[in-house]
Amino acid sequence: MANEAQTGGLDQLVQGVAELLSAADDFDKITQLELLQQLQNATAGAIARVSADFEISQRDAQRRQQVPSRERGRGIADQIALARRISPAQASRDLGFARAMRRDLAGTGRLLSTGQINERAAQAVHRETDHLEPTLRRQVDGDLVGALPRLGVRAAANAARRAALAADPDGATKRATKAAADRAVWFKPQPDGMCKIVAFLPAPEGTAAFGALKKDTAAAMTTGAIDGRTRPQVMADLFVERLTGRPREAGLPVEVQLVMGTDQLFGDAPANQSGQSGQSGQSGQSDPDGPAWLDGYGPIPAAMARAIISGHPALFGPTPVEADRAQAWVRRVFTDPVTGQVTAVDPRRRRFDGTVRRFIRIRDQLCRTPFCEAPIDDADHVHRFADGGPTDIDNGAGVCRRFNLVKEMPGWSVRVLHGRPKEGVDGADPPHDPPPGHGHTIEITTPTGKTYRSTAPPAPCAATTPAGGDPTSVVEAFLTQRLDLRWAA
């Protein structure tokens, strides 16, 4: 239970901001915005201070628990992430920022805490001085304090960079070496069924790669082998060809996992066992134009899912009839007729194995840690395998590699709730496990005693059936009818 003497004032502050009304006069509205911005800046400074203090007390607790020195600190940022409803990766970055404000950039931290600069400007100073030795970093911080309140974010970054170069002329070389070691590639889903693949590369390699794409694009434009595509489209298609090793017309050589309903796949309602075609909107069918699920990305339009299945190069081109003729492997996924949650994956398969792992990836979609949203790395045992936990779908959860390690730290526990958990505040255990018939829910308890619950989402294309109906017969009959399937044992 929280100490009201230490947290009650924050509750009142949140309530006061929530009930704030806009001023009648526009001059006063601007004054409100100025003060609210100062409050936001000061809040960011307070979050940094409390986070840094929490890390110190948690490390002390881990030391008393005789946690090996190489593992001390693990799980601290994860607790902060749960409290702040952000991803663990973001919490780790913010914790590094909080350490810097406390240890080496105290002047910048004071300006942030008093609302005189915003968090982005403070982050810019942190980022541009991160490579400096602590003594030099404190020197740069002292040099910048007087100017920072008058600078914007970019100007603050430039000032910090200049001061860092003046303090340590060799710092640029050290930073370039450090940055080269951090080279990486990221995948970022974007709206409208698109995504970004971002590469962080040393300038020579990045320039050479982009130059090669530009050169080959220019050659394709000259020869006319562009099929009406624009220059950016040709460059994007060449980028995919370079990574996959296959031309655009040949389709993708990697497995793409889709979750979609039969109506979305074929564009019409399956005939039931009586030979009658289903009606639009009738229970037991998915929405033909509703979202499908692309593993590793998220919801996509049904038309795009049909395009992927048919190998159609121009997205949204294939009709349901073209998708019907496509040569693609299909695996049945069964959903609960009431909740829409994935409940089983057909164990009969062709050309691949790992049915249980695939089920968990389809059911959970992303890491089950609340607010994490990272891709699933591991199908983890909720009840530890070493402690007798079974290897089945009920005891499995899709998690990122980070949480799989964090949950092994002292004070962390995870359990499956066999029933819909009671609504309430964090830290309140339900008085009993309610009856079954809900989504797969796990409960995470942190070393401070806080509890957080995570329920697997429903399948985006889930269909429901009337009570007493057979939720699988329609799907199986239709797939067998339309694809002439011969399921392998």
Side-chain angles (χ1 to χ4, degrees):
M1 183 67 66
N3 187 330
E4 291 294 332
Q6 299 185 32
T7 62
L10 290 177
D11 291 338
Q12 296 173 12
L13 178 61
V14 171
Q15 185 66 26
V17 172
E19 296 174 354
L20 178 69
L21 300 177
S22 297
D25 182 76
D26 283 354
F27 181 89
D28 292 334
K29 287 187 178 76
I30 292 297
T31 302
Q32 284 182 317
L33 292 175
E34 291 173 345
L35 293 172
L36 286 170
Q37 183 62 55
Q38 290 180 28
L39 178 61
Q40 180 177 326
N41 299 344
T43 300
I47 288 175
R49 293 196 310 275
V50 173
S51 297
D53 290 342
F54 180 73
E55 181 184 31
I56 292 172
S57 59
Q58 284 287 291
R59 282 184 175 274
D60 288 342
Q62 290 179 352
R63 188 178 298 109
R64 291 193 299 270
Q65 294 170 332
Q66 297 183 341
V67 173
S69 58
R70 66 180 180 278
E71 296 181 4
R72 288 176 196 161
R74 182 178 293 173
I76 295 176
D78 300 78
Q79 295 183 68
I80 294 173
L82 289 167
R84 294 183 57 198
R85 297 173 177 260
I86 60 177
S87 72
Q90 181 62 54
S92 291
R93 291 190 291 269
D94 289 351
L95 187 54
F97 170 73
R99 285 191 213 103
M101 294 298 105
R102 170 183 288 277
R103 299 175 185 173
D104 303 328
L105 300 174
T108 303
R110 282 193 298 272
L111 292 177
L112 179 62
S113 295
T114 55
Q116 298 181 65
I117 62 174
N118 61 43
E119 186 178 15
R120 291 179 60 202
Q123 290 276 12
V125 174
H126 167 56
R127 183 176 61 252
E128 296 295 340
T129 62
D130 189 39
H131 62 288
L132 294 176
E133 295 294 330
T135 302
L136 292 177
R137 202 176 193 191
R138 296 184 190 108
Q139 175 186 324
V140 169
D141 178 61
D143 294 340
L144 292 173
V145 166
L148 282 177
R150 302 188 301 273
L151 302 179
V153 175
R154 180 174 295 183
N158 290 337
R161 189 179 305 127
R162 286 193 299 269
L165 287 172
D168 181 13
D170 295 332
T173 302
K174 294 179 182 179
R175 189 172 184 180
T177 302
K178 179 180 181 296
D182 293 335
R183 59 191 181 278
V185 177
W186 297 277
F187 176 87
K188 297 182 177 181
Q190 298 293 305
D192 303 322
M194 302 298 287
C195 68
K196 287 183 180 180
I197 297 179
V198 182
F200 182 65
L201 300 171
E205 285 83 349
T207 302
F210 193 70
L213 277 178
K214 290 175 62 177
K215 179 180 177 181
D216 292 346
T217 299
M221 300 288 288
T222 301
T223 59
I226 58 174
D227 301 326
R229 291 173 289 165
T230 64
R231 183 182 296 271
Q233 290 172 343
V234 173
M235 186 175 293
D237 293 340
L238 285 174
F239 174 76
V240 175
E241 287 184 19
R242 296 295 188 271
L243 291 179
T244 63
R246 295 281 296 274
R248 170 174 168 265
E249 295 79 6
L252 299 178
V254 297
E255 178 180 331
V256 177
Q257 293 194 44
L258 284 169
V259 180
M260 61 190 305
T262 54
D263 294 354
Q264 296 169 324
L265 175 59
F266 299 111
D268 56 0
N272 59 30
Q273 290 180 320
S274 301
Q276 298 176 340
S277 177
Q279 302 298 316
S280 176
Q282 182 180 2
S283 63
Q285 298 170 28
S286 56
D287 181 1
D289 297 318
W293 180 270
L294 177 60
D295 188 29
Y297 175 82
I300 61 173
M304 178 179 287
R306 289 193 291 267
I308 294 173
I309 288 175
S310 67
H312 202 286
L315 291 178
F316 303 101
T319 65
V321 175
E322 291 174 317
D324 192 5
R325 295 196 299 263
Q327 296 182 3
W329 300 117
V330 177
R331 178 188 295 273
R332 296 171 298 175
V333 176
F334 304 128
T335 59
D336 187 290
V338 177
T339 66
Q341 188 196 22
V342 176
T343 57
V345 174
D346 194 334
R348 295 174 289 178
R349 76 276 189 270
R350 295 183 178 184
R351 301 173 61 180
F352 57 80
D353 53 15
T355 301
V356 173
R357 182 181 182 88
R358 289 175 183 272
F359 166 83
I360 291 172
R361 287 185 63 90
I362 292 171
R363 181 195 66 193
D364 294 347
Q365 301 175 12
L366 296 170
C367 176
R368 286 290 295 278
T369 309
F371 321 116
C372 178
E373 300 180 340
I376 293 174
D377 291 317
D378 298 320
D380 185 44
H381 290 78
V382 177
H383 180 199
R384 293 181 178 88
F385 179 78
D387 296 335
T391 303
D392 57 28
I393 57 177
D394 186 62
N395 191 47
V399 298
C400 65
R401 187 67 44 79
R402 175 179 183 139
F403 184 72
N404 201 0
L405 296 174
V406 164
K407 69 185 283 286
E408 301 299 324
M409 295 294 290
W412 287 82
S413 66
V414 186
R415 66 169 180 147
V416 178
L417 297 179
H418 295 93
R420 190 178 302 279
K422 177 183 177 182
E423 298 294 334
V425 298
D426 291 338
D429 291 328
H432 56 82
D433 286 338
H438 73 109
H440 182 268
T441 298
I442 61 174
E443 182 179 75
I444 301 169
T445 302
T446 71
T448 62
K450 290 280 189 176
T451 60
Y452 303 86
R453 298 187 179 106
S454 168
T455 299
C461 56
T464 60
T465 57
D470 182 354
T472 64
S473 59
V474 173
V475 177
E476 184 167 4
F478 190 53
L479 290 178
T480 302
Q481 170 192 334
R482 298 299 294 269
L483 294 182
D484 188 26
L485 293 178
R486 298 293 182 268
W487 298 99

